[in-house]
Amino acid sequence: MTATSFHLGYVPGVTPGKWTRMWAERRPGVPLELHTVTAAEAADLVRAGTVDAAVARLPIDRTGLHAIPLYTETTVVVVPKEHVVTAADEVTVADLADEIVLRSGDDTLDWPDGPPGRAAEYAPPTTAEAVEIVAAGVGVLVVPQSLARLHHRRDLTYRPLVDAPGSGVALTWPDAENSDLMEEFIGIVRGRSAHSTRTRRSEPPAAPAPRPPSTAGRRRPARRRR
């Protein structure tokens, strides 16, 4: 990692394209390098300095880190298109009581009373593998909605799981004095304008334009009489 670039990690399902475009407009001479990271490793990579910041799924271990919650995703259940739950527009946890419920290492959903249904004997490490198992007719998959969209298949669909915990997404970075580049990226994520006083710049501010000379106290020339 060099001082002339900014490295951002992001978990699957997150779409950093808008931030990337805004960064290119504000810092055209500093590349924004993107790195796909797993939910489990995002915080550790920030602490290790492998990336400058990461867009991670909550909850995370915040030891040595700052974190700004960005948004909360809807949790959905991915099922074959002919599955019985597709008859409804929404699904509850109770509807999955008799199902084999798969989860993947790409999400960090926090279930206070435990996940719904029956736990699978094999827990797929990735959403892609879990989707393949569901497509084979074995179980259903509970994930944040962005992951269901990312791994969309024609033979599968999903329904919102209305009483399930949501999946929080946050920007996290080292708990230290922010660099100019870090302040810039925080400003972009928070929607600050390019001229915000909170966004620090490494270059010195432009010198103010000279003020025109004052005309106060000057006497106008007298008119000549004809």
Side-chain angles (χ1 to χ4, degrees):
M1 191 167 61
T2 67
T4 57
S5 61
F6 187 85
H7 291 249
L8 176 69
Y10 68 99
V11 293
V14 170
T15 53
K18 177 182 178 180
W19 301 329
T20 302
R21 290 190 295 272
M22 293 179 67
W23 179 274
E25 293 172 1
R26 298 189 188 184
R27 293 282 184 165
V30 182
L32 176 61
E33 305 287 347
L34 298 177
H35 307 268
T36 305
V37 301
T38 67
E41 68 182 357
D44 288 337
L45 292 176
V46 175
R47 274 190 287 265
T50 306
V51 293
D52 295 293
V55 185
R57 295 194 184 280
L58 298 174
I60 60 172
D61 177 6
R62 299 195 184 190
T63 303
L65 299 176
H66 289 298
I68 299 173
L70 302 178
Y71 56 87
T72 300
E73 286 192 64
T74 299
T75 299
V76 302
V77 56
V78 179
V79 297
K81 282 193 171 180
E82 66 276 8
H83 196 282
V84 63
V85 302
T86 62
D89 294 331
E90 298 176 338
V91 181
T92 66
V93 169
D95 294 328
L96 305 181
D98 296 327
E99 300 287 345
I100 296 175
V101 177
L102 302 174
R103 295 183 61 193
S104 83
D106 290 331
D107 81 75
T108 56
L109 291 170
D110 186 14
W111 298 89
D113 301 321
R118 294 179 289 144
E121 295 181 2
Y122 169 64
T126 68
T127 303
E129 290 179 87
V131 165
E132 291 292 334
I133 295 173
V134 173
V138 181
V140 299
L141 172 64
V142 174
V143 287
Q145 183 169 302
S146 66
L147 290 176
R149 289 174 174 171
L150 180 65
H151 298 280
H152 172 72
R153 289 175 51 124
R154 292 184 178 179
D155 53 345
L156 300 179
T157 188
Y158 63 84
R159 292 291 186 271
L161 198 54
V162 293
D163 53 349
S167 177
V169 176
L171 174 67
T172 183
W173 70 97
D175 184 5
E177 183 178 357
N178 294 340
S179 66
D180 291 339
L181 296 182
M182 190 67 243
E183 284 287 352
E184 186 77 78
F185 192 75
I186 293 170
I188 289 172
V189 169
R190 284 187 157 175
R192 297 178 195 152
S193 70
H195 303 291
S196 170
T197 56
R198 294 288 301 277
T199 302
R200 299 188 302 174
R201 299 284 182 174
S202 57
E203 62 267 17
R211 298 178 62 182
S214 174
T215 58
R218 293 184 181 179
R219 299 181 61 183
R220 295 183 179 180
R223 288 186 176 183
R224 294 182 178 178
R225 294 183 180 179
R226 294 181 179 179

